[in-house]
Amino acid sequence: MNRSTLRAAVPPLVALVVLLALWEGAVRLLEVPRWLVPPPSAIGAVGAHEASALLGGAITTGRSALVGFGLSAVLGVLVAVLLASSRMVERALYPYTLFLQTVPIVAIAPLLVLWFGPGPRAVAVSSFIVSLFPVIANTLTGLRSVDPSLRDMFRLYGARRLATLWKLELPAAMPHLFTGLRIASGLSVIGAIVGEFVAGFAEGSAGLGILVLGAYRQLRTDLLFAAVLAASVLGLVLFGAVSLTGARLLRRWHPSAQGT
Amino acid sequence: MNRSTLRAAVPPLVALVVLLALWEGAVRLLEVPRWLVPPPSAIGAVGAHEASALLGGAITTGRSALVGFGLSAVLGVLVAVLLASSRMVERALYPYTLFLQTVPIVAIAPLLVLWFGPGPRAVAVSSFIVSLFPVIANTLTGLRSVDPSLRDMFRLYGARRLATLWKLELPAAMPHLFTGLRIASGLSVIGAIVGEFVAGFAEGSAGLGILVLGAYRQLRTDLLFAAVLAASVLGLVLFGAVSLTGARLLRRWHPSAQGT
Amino acid sequence: MKVEGLRRTFPGNISVLAGLDLDVAPGSFVALLGPSGCGKSTLLRLVAGLDRAEAGHVTFTPTLERTPGERAPIAYVFQDAHLLPWRSVLDNAALPLELTGVPKAERQAAARAVLEQVGLGDATERYPAELSGGMRMRASLARALVTHPRLLLLDEPFAALDELTRGRLDDQLRALWRKLGMTVLFVTHSISEAAYLAERAVVLSRRPARVVLDRTLELPTERTAALRTEAAFAREARLLNEALEQGEHW
Amino acid sequence: MKVEGLRRTFPGNISVLAGLDLDVAPGSFVALLGPSGCGKSTLLRLVAGLDRAEAGHVTFTPTLERTPGERAPIAYVFQDAHLLPWRSVLDNAALPLELTGVPKAERQAAARAVLEQVGLGDATERYPAELSGGMRMRASLARALVTHPRLLLLDEPFAALDELTRGRLDDQLRALWRKLGMTVLFVTHSISEAAYLAERAVVLSRRPARVVLDRTLELPTERTAALRTEAAFAREARLLNEALEQGEHW
Amino acid sequence: SRQKEESQPGSQTATAASASTPKPNTPAKVKLALNWVPEPEFGGFYAARESGAFARQGLDVEILGGGAGAPVQQMVATGQAEFGISGADEILTARARGLDVIPLFAVYQTSPHAIMAHASRGAKNIADVLSSGTVALEPGLSYVAYLKKKYGFDKVKVVPYDGGVARFVADKNYAQQCFVTAEPLAAKRQGATPAVFLVADEGFNPYLAVVITRRQYWKEQPERVKAFVAAVRDGWRTYLDNPGPTNAVMAKLNTTMDAETFAAAAEAQRPLIDTEATRSQGLGTMSRKRWEQLAQQLVDLGTIEQAPAPDDYLVPEFVSARD
Ligand SMILES: Nc1ncnc2c1ncn2[C@@H]1O[C@H](COP(=O)(O)OP(=O)(O)OP(=O)(O)O)[C@@H](O)[C@H]1O
Ligand SMILES: Nc1ncnc2c1ncn2[C@@H]1O[C@H](COP(=O)(O)OP(=O)(O)OP(=O)(O)O)[C@@H](O)[C@H]1O
Ligand SMILES: [Mg+2]
Ligand SMILES: [Mg+2]
C-alpha cells in the first residue's frame, strides 16, 4: 500500500460517503418502509450483528467465485485463441459459445449438481459458466485487432504459431483481455450466488446466496441488503485486483492505462 | 441476403449439425435418461408440438430483451462517456457501476415490480440491469485507448468536447464498443428470462422464462431444453445483428473486421 | 512568437530542453535542424500547446486566439501522418474545417483542391490503410494546409517523399507562404531543403537542445531550382552543415 | 533472386505492379528509386513473401530456406518502425533472435552491440512511445541488422534521420555489406544516397511500376565522403535524376 | 406381520427395528438431499441426526441443504443421494417422466400450502380471496392449477409469486400463495395481519416433505432403507416433543432465521404433521387411497397423462392400507 494507491482510494471512498448520505437522507425523508429499502444505518447495524455469518458467507462464495473466475480466465483465453486460429473456426463455433451465456443456470443446475455434486464444486462451475463469455469475446477481439504489420514482421522472422501467440497476439490483446476480466470478475460473483441458490449448501458454510435467499424469504430486507452489499464488496475486490494488475502491466505502453 | 452472407452461414450450420449428431448419438449410446438430457430429436418433437407457445414466448421475451439491450447500449455508452470525462470521476464512480452487475436480480426484483409493475416493463429493466455493465466497461476501455497523438491533433484544431467525442473517441472506441454489445446481447436475453422468473407474467403471453420455470417444475426436460434453445436462438439473433453491424462499420479500417 | 527559457525533462531524467530561447517574427519562415532525438518535435509540441513545459513560456504577438470565422490559427504536420483510419482521405483532409463548422460542400471542395495540390487527386476516396507511406504524409500535409493557418508547424513533412515530389511540394509550400504570409516553423533533416525553403535557419545541438546557429539566410526571395547550383546556396549549406557537426559534439 | 512477371492489383482496380521483372545477383547491393506511391513497398513485401502476387513469382538461388543455426535469412526494415509498444528498445531489437531461440544473454549482447552502432546505446531501456521519430527508425534498423540476414530489405530506413546520422549509418551499412556479403534491396528517395551506397540502381516509373533505368553504377568499391564531390558521382546522380523525371511522365 | 409393524407407534417400531438388525461396526454413509435450506420443515431430520437416532440405526447421514429449485429428485434418481425430500405431486410427476423414485415417509400429512390475504378484507375462504384484488401465484405449481380449475381467475389479477412478502405488506388488496410456516410469520413480523387459508381444505392435499429413495436402492438395501425410515420417525418424534435444541442447531446453519421464528414455525407446523392419522398409524404414514386420489387429480389437471399404477411406486412397508 504505497502513497499513490492510497490516493487512488480517495475518490471512490468520497463517492461512497456521498452515496450513503444521500440514501440515508432519502429513505428518512420519504419515510420509505424499512422492509422495502432499509437505510444504510440499519444495514450497517445488521451487518455488524451478523458479521460472522456475512464474513463466512463471503468467504464461501468468494472461494467459489474465485475458482469460477480463474477457470473463466484460463479457459476463456484458450477458447479465444482457438477461435482466432481461423475465420472458419470462429464462424462455426463462436455463436455457440454464446449459448453458455444465454442458458439460465437454473435450467442446467440439475446437470451441474449431478455432475459435480451439490456444494462448492457445482457453485464454482456455475460461476465459471456465467463469467466465461466476456473473456472469450474480449480476448477474441483483442487477438483480431493486432496490427497486421506486426503480424507480418513476425511471419518474416519465421515465428512459430506459439511464439506469435505468446509474444505478439496475447500482449497486444492485453487491454481487451483485461476489460473482459473486469466484466468477468463481477459476473463470477453473481454466478456463484445464483449457483448457490440452486446447488449450494455444504454444511457449516452457507454462502451469500443462501443468506440472500433466506433473508428474502424472511423479509429481512436489511440483512438481504447487507448480504447483497457483501457480494458487491466481493465483486469489487476481484475487480480491483484485476484492474490493478492490468494497470501495472499496461502502464508503460498503453494509453488506456496512462494517467492512472 | 446476398451470396457472401449465405456463405458465412455455412460453417455455423455445419457445426450445428455435427453438434446435434454427436449429442443424439451420445444420449442414445450412453442411455442417458430422457428426463436428464433429452436427445435433440425429442427436443425437436416437443418444439414442434409446442411451437406456438415457444414462438409466443420468444416474442414476449425478445421484446423485453430488445428494450433492455437498447437501454444498455444507449445508457452504457453515456455512462462510459461520463466516466471517461476524467480519471477522478472514473475512480469515484466506476466501481459502483459494477454494483449493478453483482446484485442478484432476485434480490431487487420486488423493488423493480413495485416501481415498474409486474410484466414486460420490469422484465425489460431486469434485462437492462444485467446487460449494462459490459457496455460500460468496453466502451470505457475504448474511449481510453484512443491514440494520444490523434487526441493532440483534435486539441490543436480547437475541437470542442462534443466534436472530439463524436468524431474521434466514439469511432475509435467502436471495436471495443461492439465487443461490449456482443456480450450485452446474450446477457440481455438471460436478464429478461431471469426477470420473468420473478416479475414476468402478463396474462396471455407467457415469456420463455415462464415456460422454463413451468417446464422445470413439471420435470418436462424436453420442453425445458426447447425453451432454453429458443432463448439461445433469440440471443444468437441479437448477437448476429450486432456482429453484422459491427463488421459492416469496421470493415474498411479495423483489422478485427478484416477477412470477415 | 517568443520562446523564453523553455525547459522540458522527461521521466528518467531525460533533459530535452534546458532553457531554450527563440524569437520568431510574424510571417517568417524558419527551418529547424538538429540531430535525431535532440528535441525538435518536443519544441514544436510545446509551441503548439500540446505539451507543458516545466519552465519558460511561449508567447505570441499578436495573440493566436482564434478569430471568428477563421479556420484554425495553428496547423501542425506531425512526424507521423496520424490520419483517422475510419475516414477516407478526403474526409481526413477536410477534418479541421469540419471541426470549425465549415459547411460540407465548401470544406470538401477545399479539401479536394489541396489534395490535388499534393498529388492525391485520384486517391480521395481511399482509406489510410490503403495508401503508401508517402501518400499518407501528403494527406496529412493537405489536412494542415487546408486551414490557411497563421502559424504552420511542419515536422519533417517531406521525409518520406521522392525528390521530385518533394521539390514540387517545396515550391508549393513556399508559394503558399509568400501568398498568405503565415509564420512557418519547418523541421527538416535536409540541409539543402532548409536552405532552399527558409528565410532563417536554426540549428539545434544534441539533447538538451541549445541553439548552435541562428542565421538569416542571405538568399534571394525568388527561389527556383537554379538556386541550388549557385555559390550563395552552397555557402549557406556549408554553414548549416558545420553548425550541425558542431552541435553533435557539444 | 529473380523476380518474374510480378503482377499486383489492389481492390478498386489499382494496378501497382503489372508484370515486373528484376534479376538480382546474390550479394549485390541494389538501390530502388521511384515516385511516391509507385509500388516500391509493395515490391519489397512481395519479395519478403508478406503479400501474394496475382501472377508471376520470386525465386531465390540459392534458396532462402532457413539453415539450422541461422538467425533469419531475410530481414526487413519497414517504412514505419513497427516496434512492439510493450517492449523496451533492447527487447525489440533482440526479438528476431528470440524468435529463433538464441539464448537470452547472447541475444541481448548482440542487440546491445547493434543498438550502439545505430546510436541508441543510451536508450536501450526506453519504450517506443518514449522515443523520437528518428530513434524509432533506428531501433527498427537495429532489429533488422541483428540477424545478419542473407537478404536485407530496407524501405527508406534513414528518411527520418538528420544528414550526419544518416551519413554515418550509410557508411556502417556499406561496411556491413562488404563484410557479410548479403544481398541488399534498398528503397530510398535520396538520389545521392542511392548513388553513394549501391552497386546498382533501379528506377521505377509511376504506378503501375515499370523499370525505367537499371544501371550498374560506375563508381569505386571504396567509398568515402570525398566521393560525393567527384564528377563520376555527379554523373550517376544526374542519370538517376533524369530517369526519375522520365518515370514521372510515363 | 409387516402390517402389524407399520401400525405400531413410531418409537416402538424404531426399537423393534434396531433390535432385529444387528448394529454394524462401521455406520453406513448415506446422503439426504433437502429441497430447501434448514428450517423447521426439516426439524425431524436434524433431530434424528442430533439425537443419535441415525447412529443407533447404524447410519451416518450427511444432510445436503438445498436452495431454490434444488434438483432433489434427479439427485436421488441418479444416485447422487440415497434419500431426498420432495412433494407428493412432484413425485408423481417425476414418475410420469420416468424417474423411478419411491415415497417412504410423509412428514406433512396436511399440505402447508396456503393462500394468505390481509385479514382486513374479511375473506372467509379462498373463493372469497380469489374474487377480487391481486394474487401472487407461482406458475407451474399443481395446486395453483387446481385452484385455477376450481375457481377460475377471472375476477382476480394474477401476478407472479416472487418468493417474498414485500409486496404483500405494501398492498392491502394483495394476496399470495404461502407456506403456512413461513410467509405469514414474516408478514406478521412486519406488522401485517394475514388471514391464512389452507389449500388442503379445498380438496387438494398432497403429502409434503416426503422422504424418497430410488427403487434400485430399496431393492439392494431394504434393511438400510427401513432403518433410515425408522430413525426419521424417531427424529420427528423427538423434534415434536422438544424442538428447541434442534432449532438451535439449524439456526447455526441458517442464520437468516431468528430463534423466535424457528420456534413459531415449529409450532405452526405441528398440527399439519401430528394428525389423527399419525396418532393411529405412526408419524409419516401414507395412505394408498390418498396417493391414488392425488394421481387422479393430477391427471384431471393435465399435469400427467395417466395415473401410475399404485403398486409401481407404493411399497407396502411404508404405506397404510387404511385411509
Ligand atoms: N491495401 C491497399 N489497398 C488499396 N491500395 C493499396 C493498398 N496498399 C497499397 N495500395 C496502393 O498501392 C500503391 C503502391 O503502394 P506502395 O506502398 O507500394 O508505394 P511506395 O512505392 O512504397 O510509395 P512510398 O514511396 O510513398 O512509400 C499506392 O498507390 C497505394 O495507394
Ligand atoms: N514520452 C517520453 N518519455 C521519455 N522520453 C521521451 C518522451 N518523448 C520524447 N522523449 C525523448 O526526448 C528526446 C527528444 O525527442 P524529440 O521527439 O523531440 O526528438 P526530435 O528532435 O524530434 O528527433 P527526431 O529527429 O528523431 O524526430 C528523445 O531523446 C526522446 O527519447
Ligand atoms: Mg521528431
Ligand atoms: Mg513505401
Side-chain angles (χ1 to χ4, degrees):
Chain A
M1 253 309 184
N2 58 15
R3 243 166 162 226
S4 79
T5 321
L6 280 178
R7 217 167 341 110
V10 171
L13 287 181
V14 169
L16 184 67
V17 169
V18 171
L19 206 85
L20 292 182
L22 281 179
W23 178 353
E24 183 94 31
V27 167
R28 285 182 187 233
L29 243 104
L30 305 175
E31 293 184 356
V32 180
R34 281 175 84 110
W35 51 261
L36 186 57
V37 182
S41 55
I43 298 172
V46 80
H49 191 251
E50 304 277 357
S52 78
L54 287 169
L55 191 69
I59 290 174
T60 304
T61 306
R63 212 177 279 154
S64 303
L66 209 61
V67 173
F69 175 77
L71 284 175
S72 286
V74 173
L75 291 179
V77 170
L78 285 180
V79 171
V81 165
L82 174 74
L83 293 180
S85 66
S86 101
R87 281 280 171 196
M88 200 74 165
V89 174
E90 177 184 338
R91 271 201 210 132
L93 299 184
Y94 191 19
Y96 300 105
T97 61
L98 182 72
F99 183 77
L100 282 176
Q101 212 189 7
T102 51
V103 166
I105 278 292
V106 65
I108 48 169
L111 293 178
L112 294 187
V113 173
L114 288 175
W115 288 336
F116 303 102
R121 291 246 305 264
V123 173
V125 173
S126 157
S127 162
F128 159 68
I129 290 179
V130 169
S131 60
L132 177 65
F133 186 73
V135 181
I136 297 180
N138 272 286
T139 310
L140 187 59
T141 307
L143 294 175
R144 286 254 177 260
S145 302
V146 174
D147 184 347
S149 331
L150 295 179
R151 244 180 230 291
D152 281 349
M153 204 251 296
F154 270 71
R155 248 169 70 205
L156 186 86
Y157 289 121
R160 305 233 179 69
R161 187 74 201 89
L162 214 66
T164 307
L165 179 69
W166 211 241
K167 293 172 202 269
L168 172 64
E169 294 174 340
L170 283 181
M174 277 296 155
H176 287 84
L177 172 59
F178 271 95
T179 307
L181 292 181
R182 262 194 277 264
I183 299 171
S185 66
L187 282 179
S188 71
V189 173
I190 192 75
I193 287 180
V194 172
E196 283 174 345
F197 284 174
V198 179
F201 195 96
E203 283 275 307
S205 58
L208 292 175
I210 300 293
L211 282 181
V212 165
L213 208 61
Y216 186 61
R217 250 306 154 69
Q218 303 288 322
L219 197 59
R220 292 183 60 183
T221 317
D222 44 6
L223 181 57
L224 173 69
F225 271 65
V228 167
L229 281 180
S232 290
V233 170
L234 256 189
L236 277 179
V237 168
L238 251 178
F239 178 86
V242 169
S243 295
L244 267 184
T245 313
R248 194 140 296 175
L249 280 177
L250 305 179
R251 191 181 350 252
R252 266 191 97 172
W253 69 273
H254 199 263
S256 74
Q258 242 110 59
T260 44
Chain B
M1 251 311 183
N2 58 16
R3 246 170 158 222
S4 80
T5 320
L6 280 178
R7 217 169 340 109
V10 171
L13 287 181
V14 169
L16 184 66
V17 170
V18 170
L19 207 86
L20 291 182
L22 280 178
W23 177 356
E24 183 93 30
V27 167
R28 284 178 189 236
L29 242 106
L30 303 174
E31 294 184 357
V32 180
R34 282 172 83 109
W35 51 264
L36 188 56
V37 182
S41 54
I43 298 172
V46 80
H49 192 252
E50 305 276 357
S52 78
L54 286 169
L55 193 67
I59 290 173
T60 303
T61 307
R63 211 176 282 155
S64 302
L66 208 61
V67 173
F69 175 77
L71 284 175
S72 286
V74 173
L75 291 179
V77 171
L78 284 181
V79 171
V81 166
L82 174 73
L83 293 179
S85 67
S86 102
R87 279 283 170 199
M88 200 74 164
V89 174
E90 177 184 338
R91 269 198 210 133
L93 300 184
Y94 191 18
Y96 299 106
T97 61
L98 183 72
F99 184 77
L100 280 176
Q101 210 188 12
T102 51
V103 166
I105 278 291
V106 65
I108 47 169
L111 292 178
L112 294 186
V113 173
L114 279 176
W115 289 336
F116 303 100
R121 292 247 305 264
V123 172
V125 173
S126 157
S127 163
F128 159 67
I129 290 179
V130 169
S131 60
L132 177 66
F133 187 72
V135 181
I136 297 181
N138 272 287
T139 310
L140 187 60
T141 307
L143 294 174
R144 286 255 175 261
S145 303
V146 174
D147 184 347
S149 330
L150 295 180
R151 242 180 233 292
D152 281 350
M153 202 251 297
F154 270 70
R155 249 170 69 205
L156 186 85
Y157 289 121
R160 304 233 179 71
R161 187 74 201 88
L162 212 66
T164 307
L165 178 69
W166 212 242
K167 293 169 200 272
L168 172 64
E169 294 174 340
L170 283 180
M174 277 296 154
H176 287 85
L177 172 58
F178 272 95
T179 306
L181 291 181
R182 262 193 278 264
I183 298 172
S185 66
L187 282 180
S188 71
V189 173
I190 192 74
I193 287 180
V194 173
E196 284 174 344
F197 284 174
V198 181
F201 132 129
E203 288 270 312
S205 58
L208 291 175
I210 303 293
L211 282 180
V212 164
L213 207 61
Y216 183 65
R217 262 285 142 61
Q218 311 232 331
L219 261 171
R220 293 182 60 183
T221 317
D222 44 6
L223 181 58
L224 174 70
F225 271 66
V228 165
L229 281 180
S232 290
V233 170
L234 255 189
L236 277 179
V237 168
L238 252 178
F239 178 87
V242 169
S243 295
L244 268 184
T245 313
R248 194 138 296 174
L249 279 177
L250 305 179
R251 185 176 359 242
R252 266 191 96 173
W253 69 273
H254 199 261
S256 73
Q258 242 109 60
T260 42
Chain C
M1 187 190 92
K2 214 182 173 91
V3 171
E4 280 171 303
L6 225 49
R7 190 199 315 279
R8 183 74 176 94
T9 311
F10 284 108
N13 207 17
I14 300 165
S15 166
V16 175
L17 302 178
L20 189 87
D21 298 309
L22 196 67
D23 203 338
V24 177
S28 52
F29 195 129
V30 180
L32 215 55
L33 294 116
S36 171
C38 79
K40 303 178 295 297
S41 300
T42 305
L43 176 62
L44 251 55
R45 286 174 54 79
L46 287 167
V47 168
L50 296 177
D51 192 4
R52 211 91 74 85
E54 285 102 46
H57 38 83
V58 182
T59 44
F60 298 96
T61 21
T63 152
L64 265 187
E65 293 300 300
R66 205 175 124 218
T67 56
E70 190 179 30
R71 285 168 168 189
I74 310 186
Y76 195 143
V77 180
F78 297 89
Q79 195 163 2
D80 300 313
H82 293 332
L83 302 173
L84 301 182
W86 54 85
R87 284 184 171 229
S88 69
V89 168
L90 183 69
D91 289 343
N92 261 293
L95 179 72
L97 301 186
E98 193 176 331
L99 291 176
T100 46
V102 177
K104 185 159 181 177
E106 191 181 327
R107 68 179 186 245
Q108 291 206 339
R112 223 177 277 278
V114 67
L115 284 170
E116 203 66 62
Q117 275 181 30
V118 300
L120 287 178
D122 59 347
T124 52
E125 293 315 315
R126 285 202 235 162
Y127 279 66
E130 301 161 1
L131 299 181
S132 80
M135 291 163 86
R136 275 199 285 273
M137 274 315 292
R138 283 184 277 159
S140 166
L141 178 67
R143 181 177 63 195
L145 295 182
V146 84
T147 58
H148 297 318
R150 276 184 285 154
L151 172 62
L152 180 58
L153 306 169
L154 300 132
D155 201 348
E156 302 183 41
F158 305 144
L161 300 177
D162 60 291
E163 300 204 355
L164 290 175
T165 313
R166 186 174 194 152
R168 212 178 302 129
L169 288 175
D170 279 348
D171 288 337
Q172 276 178 14
L173 178 63
R174 203 170 149 90
L176 207 68
W177 170 69
R178 290 193 58 189
K179 198 170 110 200
L180 302 176
M182 71 278 208
T183 313
V184 178
L185 261 179
F186 186 92
V187 173
T188 179
H189 283 309
S190 165
I191 291 170
S192 70
E193 187 173 44
Y196 183 73
L197 276 178
E199 300 295 287
R200 179 175 156 201
V202 175
V203 178
L204 298 177
S205 73
R206 305 195 78 163
R207 180 166 69 74
R210 255 160 298 183
V211 177
V212 184
L213 177 80
D214 184 346
R215 178 178 165 79
T216 306
L217 303 181
E218 291 172 359
L219 293 171
T221 312
E222 207 66 56
R223 299 184 188 175
T224 58
L227 178 68
R228 294 186 199 258
T229 52
E230 281 174 27
F233 185 84
R235 196 188 57 230
E236 295 294 347
R238 210 189 50 240
L239 280 173
L240 293 181
N241 199 31
E242 276 168 17
L244 268 171
E245 280 184 23
Q246 194 187 334
E248 274 279 295
H249 303 291
W250 261 29
Chain D
M1 187 190 90
K2 216 183 173 90
V3 172
E4 280 172 302
L6 225 48
R7 191 199 314 278
R8 183 74 176 93
T9 311
F10 284 108
N13 206 17
I14 300 165
S15 166
V16 175
L17 302 177
L20 191 87
D21 298 308
L22 197 65
D23 202 338
V24 178
S28 53
F29 195 130
V30 179
L32 214 56
L33 295 113
S36 170
C38 78
K40 303 178 296 297
S41 299
T42 306
L43 175 62
L44 250 55
R45 286 175 55 80
L46 287 167
V47 167
L50 296 178
D51 193 5
R52 212 92 72 87
E54 284 102 46
H57 37 83
V58 183
T59 44
F60 299 96
T61 20
T63 151
L64 266 187
E65 293 299 300
R66 207 174 122 218
T67 56
E70 190 180 29
R71 285 169 169 187
I74 310 187
Y76 196 142
V77 180
F78 296 87
Q79 195 164 0
D80 300 313
H82 293 333
L83 302 173
L84 301 182
W86 54 85
R87 283 184 169 228
S88 68
V89 168
L90 183 68
D91 289 342
N92 262 294
L95 179 73
L97 302 186
E98 194 177 328
L99 291 176
T100 46
V102 176
K104 182 160 181 173
E106 191 180 327
R107 69 179 185 245
Q108 290 207 337
R112 225 177 276 280
V114 68
L115 283 170
E116 202 66 62
Q117 274 180 31
V118 300
L120 287 179
D122 59 347
T124 52
E125 293 314 316
R126 284 200 236 164
Y127 279 66
E130 301 161 359
L131 300 181
S132 80
M135 292 163 85
R136 275 200 285 274
M137 274 317 291
R138 283 184 275 160
S140 167
L141 177 67
R143 182 177 64 196
L145 295 181
V146 84
T147 58
H148 297 320
R150 277 185 285 153
L151 173 62
L152 180 58
L153 306 169
L154 300 132
D155 199 348
E156 302 184 42
F158 305 145
L161 299 177
D162 60 290
E163 300 203 354
L164 290 176
T165 313
R166 186 172 194 154
R168 213 179 300 131
L169 288 175
D170 278 348
D171 288 337
Q172 277 177 14
L173 179 63
R174 204 171 148 90
L176 206 68
W177 169 70
R178 291 194 57 189
K179 201 170 107 200
L180 302 176
M182 70 277 207
T183 313
V184 179
L185 259 180
F186 187 93
V187 172
T188 178
H189 283 310
S190 165
I191 291 172
S192 69
E193 186 173 47
Y196 184 73
L197 277 178
E199 299 296 286
R200 178 178 157 201
V202 174
V203 178
L204 299 176
S205 73
R206 304 193 80 165
R207 178 165 73 75
R210 255 159 297 184
V211 177
V212 184
L213 177 80
D214 184 348
R215 179 179 165 78
T216 307
L217 303 180
E218 291 170 359
L219 292 170
T221 314
E222 207 66 58
R223 298 185 188 175
T224 58
L227 178 67
R228 295 187 198 257
T229 52
E230 280 173 27
F233 185 84
R235 196 189 56 235
E236 294 294 346
R238 210 189 49 242
L239 280 173
L240 293 181
N241 199 30
E242 277 169 17
L244 268 171
E245 279 184 23
Q246 194 186 334
E248 274 279 295
H249 303 290
W250 262 29
Chain E
S1 74
R2 258 189 219 144
Q3 197 137 334
K4 206 168 162 218
E5 221 176 79
E6 272 302 306
S7 64
Q8 280 166 358
S11 53
Q12 284 183 23
T13 313
T15 349
S18 61
S20 60
T21 27
K23 242 195 266 179
N25 291 335
T26 46
K29 280 187 184 298
V30 295
K31 291 185 187 134
L32 169 66
L34 308 184
N35 56 357
W36 188 245
V37 297
E39 278 185 5
E41 187 185 348
F42 306 122
F45 305 114
Y46 283 96
R49 192 182 68 181
E50 296 303 312
S51 69
F54 282 138
R56 280 195 298 279
Q57 295 288 354
L59 294 169
D60 174 7
V61 179
E62 185 187 348
I63 302 179
L64 305 171
V72 171
Q73 311 219 51
Q74 291 97 318
M75 287 166 72
V76 171
T78 53
Q80 275 272 334
E82 284 77 12
F83 301 98
I85 308 296
S86 188
D89 51 338
E90 292 171 301
I91 294 167
L92 288 171
T93 310
R95 291 201 55 86
R97 310 280 179 251
L99 285 78
D100 200 359
V101 291
I102 55 174
L104 304 174
F105 180 100
V107 175
Y108 286 96
Q109 297 292 314
T110 306
S111 166
H113 287 304
I115 303 293
M116 71 178 186
H118 286 276
S120 57
R121 281 170 65 185
K124 296 274 181 305
N125 49 39
I126 291 183
D128 288 350
V129 175
L130 293 180
S131 63
S132 70
T134 306
V135 64
L137 298 169
E138 193 170 344
L141 290 182
S142 45
Y143 73 84
V144 171
Y146 179 83
L147 290 178
K148 178 162 186 173
K149 184 153 187 265
K150 187 165 179 190
Y151 295 111
F153 293 156
D154 320 326
K155 282 169 278 177
V156 69
K157 182 167 185 266
V158 180
V159 298
Y161 167 78
D162 60 15
V165 295
R167 281 183 288 160
F168 181 83
V169 176
D171 182 353
K172 291 286 170 222
N173 273 319
Y174 191 93
Q176 68 171 81
Q177 69 175 65
C178 66
F179 215 76
V180 290
T181 59
E183 287 92 340
L185 302 177
K188 265 186 213 147
R189 208 163 351 94
Q190 301 301 333
T193 321
V196 183
F197 308 103
L198 285 173
V199 177
D201 295 339
E202 302 291 328
F204 188 77
N205 185 22
Y207 293 114
L208 217 71
V210 179
V211 178
I212 57 173
T213 191
R214 200 165 25 124
R215 175 186 301 281
Q216 191 64 25
Y217 190 66
W218 157 244
K219 276 203 190 129
E220 287 162 6
Q221 301 281 354
E223 295 309 322
R224 196 176 290 167
V225 171
K226 272 191 266 181
F228 184 85
V229 171
V232 164
R233 186 168 287 126
D234 247 5
W236 273 104
R237 176 49 58 204
T238 309
Y239 186 70
L240 289 175
D241 289 347
N242 181 16
T246 311
N247 282 347
V249 170
M250 287 191 291
K252 283 213 192 72
L253 300 173
N254 177 4
T255 48
T256 59
M257 205 158 164
D258 53 35
E260 299 93 83
T261 312
F262 262 108
E267 205 44 50
Q269 72 180 5
R270 183 190 301 277
L272 309 178
I273 296 171
D274 206 1
T275 62
E276 241 170 81
T278 62
R279 276 188 283 277
S280 61
Q281 315 282 325
L283 283 175
T285 186
M286 302 183 293
S287 111
R288 185 183 172 102
K289 203 172 150 209
R290 274 185 63 185
W291 276 104
E292 286 175 33
Q293 185 194 0
L294 178 66
Q296 192 51 49
Q297 284 175 322
L298 292 180
V299 171
D300 293 343
L301 291 172
T303 309
I304 56 180
E305 284 73 39
Q306 67 182 75
D311 293 332
D312 281 357
Y313 62 96
L314 294 179
V315 178
E317 271 85 345
F318 309 110
V319 182
S320 156
R322 289 195 257 153
D323 299 346

